[in-house]
Amino acid sequence: MYAMKDYYTTLGVDRNASQEDIKKAFRQLALKYHPDRNQGNKEAEEKFKEINEAYTCLSDPDKRSHYDRFGTAEGFPDQGGFGAGGSFSTIFEDIFEDFFGGFSGRGTRPTKGSDLRYNLTVTLEEAAFGVEKIISVPKLQNCPECQGTGAEPGTSPTQCAQCRGTGQMRFQQGFFSVSKTCPKCQGSGVIIANPCKTCRGATKIRVQKELSLKVPAGVDNNSRLRVSGEGDSGTYGGPPGDLYVIISVQEHPLFRRDGTEIYCEKPISFTKAVFGGEVEVPTLNGPSRLKIPAGTSSGTVFKLKGKGVPRLGSFHRGDQIVQVTIEVPKKLNERQKEALREFARLSGEEVDSSKGLTGKIKDLFTS
């Protein structure tokens, strides 16, 4: 009697396994039981065929659905392990790199240029309100002398005869047909008999390009700005890469930033703390007036609405948080001292002369 094959058990996965789990299990087993690693081992060869058959079925959503419903994958082509023909190389393409080291040749296909990174430092004010900066970026661009061909003007590259312009050579490796980088053209697919004297056949030269960069209001540390098309030039007509500008914001001597909020301290006199009044407070926009209520204690926090940093990409602006600290005078004349002694007596406090006047004032206004 025919026994139904359990493809899930063959690959060592459960029936709810994701495609990524199935692929991972297959890769591990294929490398373990590959005949080139188990020469003369008939059991390993049979196991290799079984996992190939199981993966052929479970890696295809339609075949897997049919198998889950009916317990068989019959009715679909290319089910027979090594008899799968063209699909065999497709199935095993993702393990070539693990088993044989892969290949890097691209021939003369258009290739996108590399992306670049540029680190830019701005002040807190520039980060808050935006700024336009001129930056100089080192990059690779197509050689202007040979127009990116790599060949001396008046000559042209020729197709590599060994790989026929593909940049790759095919080799038979056991059961696999493996692609390797062409040793003659180093994967470029072309031969340059007369290299350009400017770029020496490299097709590109390194330049410093000046760009005008608009830094938007509200950027912060590690904000990333993308400048499309300002990376390295592409190869063989491929598009250029992009430039990514990474922002760093300098520390400020007066302000501390937390998101869209700005924090600072404002020293006030003890008379201002007692009687109240207005004081001038620095903000990112310049000085602003802050009203201090009578009887304010040291450490009291005030909020200046809308004096913080704009949220990136929004009109909303955060607040400035101001914490007041009371300054204790270090030098007093005799009249000021006598006035404070009288204040202490009227307040029912004993004046301890051993502490010194500055210590008494400090106790009086920080308690």
Side-chain angles (χ1 to χ4, degrees):
M1 182 177 178
Y2 174 76
M4 184 185 76
K5 296 180 180 180
D6 189 336
Y7 290 149
Y8 292 100
T9 299
T10 299
L11 294 181
V13 297
D14 61 46
R15 302 187 73 85
N16 296 321
S18 66
Q19 284 296 319
E20 187 61 33
D21 290 337
I22 291 173
K23 182 177 180 181
K24 183 178 179 181
F26 166 71
R27 286 165 61 93
Q28 293 174 343
L29 292 171
L31 290 170
K32 179 179 179 180
Y33 291 104
H34 188 273
D36 283 357
R37 290 186 171 180
N38 300 273
Q39 294 184 8
N41 188 336
K42 293 294 183 181
E43 184 178 344
E45 184 176 333
E46 289 301 316
K47 182 69 174 179
F48 189 65
K49 291 179 181 180
E50 291 175 8
I51 63 175
N52 171 40
E53 181 180 340
Y55 182 72
T56 303
C57 173
L58 299 184
S59 63
D60 185 299
D62 292 333
K63 295 176 184 178
R64 182 179 180 181
S65 177
H66 188 279
Y67 173 79
D68 288 342
R69 291 176 62 192
F70 303 108
T72 178
E74 292 181 1
F76 289 93
D78 297 338
Q79 295 290 328
F82 294 102
S87 65
F88 179 80
S89 60
T90 301
I91 294 169
F92 283 88
E93 186 178 15
D94 60 341
I95 68 168
F96 281 166
E97 186 171 350
D98 289 343
F99 200 80
F100 299 109
F103 58 86
S104 59
R106 289 182 175 270
T108 55
R109 290 179 293 170
T111 305
K112 181 181 177 181
S114 299
D115 293 334
L116 299 178
R117 170 179 174 141
Y118 185 91
N119 297 323
L120 178 65
T121 300
V122 297
T123 65
L124 179 57
E125 289 84 356
E126 290 172 337
F129 304 117
V131 67
E132 189 165 339
K133 292 278 192 179
I134 302 299
I135 61 176
S136 181
V137 181
K139 59 184 292 186
L140 292 174
Q141 73 172 26
N142 287 333
C143 175
E145 186 68 20
C146 66
Q147 303 301 312
T149 66
E152 188 67 15
T155 67
S156 299
T158 57
Q159 186 183 83
C160 176
Q162 189 161 331
C163 66
R164 297 182 181 180
T166 65
Q168 304 167 23
M169 298 292 295
R170 275 194 182 277
F171 301 93
Q172 194 69 29
Q173 185 82 12
F175 292 97
F176 296 101
S177 179
V178 183
S179 294
K180 297 281 189 180
T181 301
C182 175
K184 186 172 184 180
C185 67
Q186 302 301 314
S188 69
V190 296
I191 300 296
I192 302 175
N194 299 295
C196 170
K197 292 182 176 62
T198 301
C199 67
R200 300 180 181 180
T203 74
K204 294 182 177 64
I205 59 172
R206 185 166 292 280
V207 299
Q208 289 285 139
K209 183 171 181 181
E210 285 196 347
L211 298 172
S212 178
L213 176 71
K214 289 185 177 180
V215 179
V219 295
D220 204 347
N221 283 311
N222 298 318
S223 289
R224 190 176 73 161
L225 308 179
R226 176 174 172 267
V227 187
S228 179
E230 290 297 347
D232 287 341
S233 296
T235 304
Y236 302 116
D242 299 324
L243 171 66
Y244 290 92
V245 180
I246 311 302
I247 300 294
S248 295
V249 182
Q250 293 176 340
E251 290 188 5
H252 198 280
L254 296 178
F255 305 118
R256 178 177 63 85
R257 177 181 176 180
D258 185 4
T260 61
E261 307 297 308
I262 289 290
Y263 293 81
C264 75
E265 290 187 354
K266 173 60 182 178
I268 62 174
S269 67
F270 69 89
T271 52
K272 189 74 70 175
V274 172
F275 298 110
E278 283 192 351
V279 294
E280 192 176 82
V281 177
T283 73
L284 292 173
N285 294 101
S288 182
R289 303 298 295 180
L290 175 65
K291 187 175 181 180
I292 304 295
T296 295
S297 300
S298 187
T300 301
V301 170
F302 297 92
K303 181 182 293 185
L304 296 175
K305 296 288 290 184
K307 294 294 185 179
V309 177
R311 180 176 290 120
L312 186 62
S314 169
F315 293 107
H316 172 78
R317 188 171 171 183
D319 304 322
Q320 179 167 324
I321 310 302
V322 181
Q323 184 179 50
V324 298
T325 58
I326 298 176
E327 289 185 318
V328 178
K330 292 182 170 59
K331 293 183 179 181
L332 296 173
N333 57 39
E334 284 302 319
R335 187 176 178 184
Q336 290 171 323
K337 292 177 183 179
E338 184 55 39
L340 285 172
R341 291 191 187 100
E342 179 63 19
F343 176 81
R345 284 193 292 269
L346 293 173
S347 300
E349 296 183 16
E350 292 186 6
V351 178
D352 184 358
S353 59
S354 64
K355 277 192 172 183
L357 187 59
T358 300
K360 299 166 196 170
I361 297 174
K362 186 174 181 180
D363 289 345
L364 183 63
F365 289 99
T366 59
S367 59

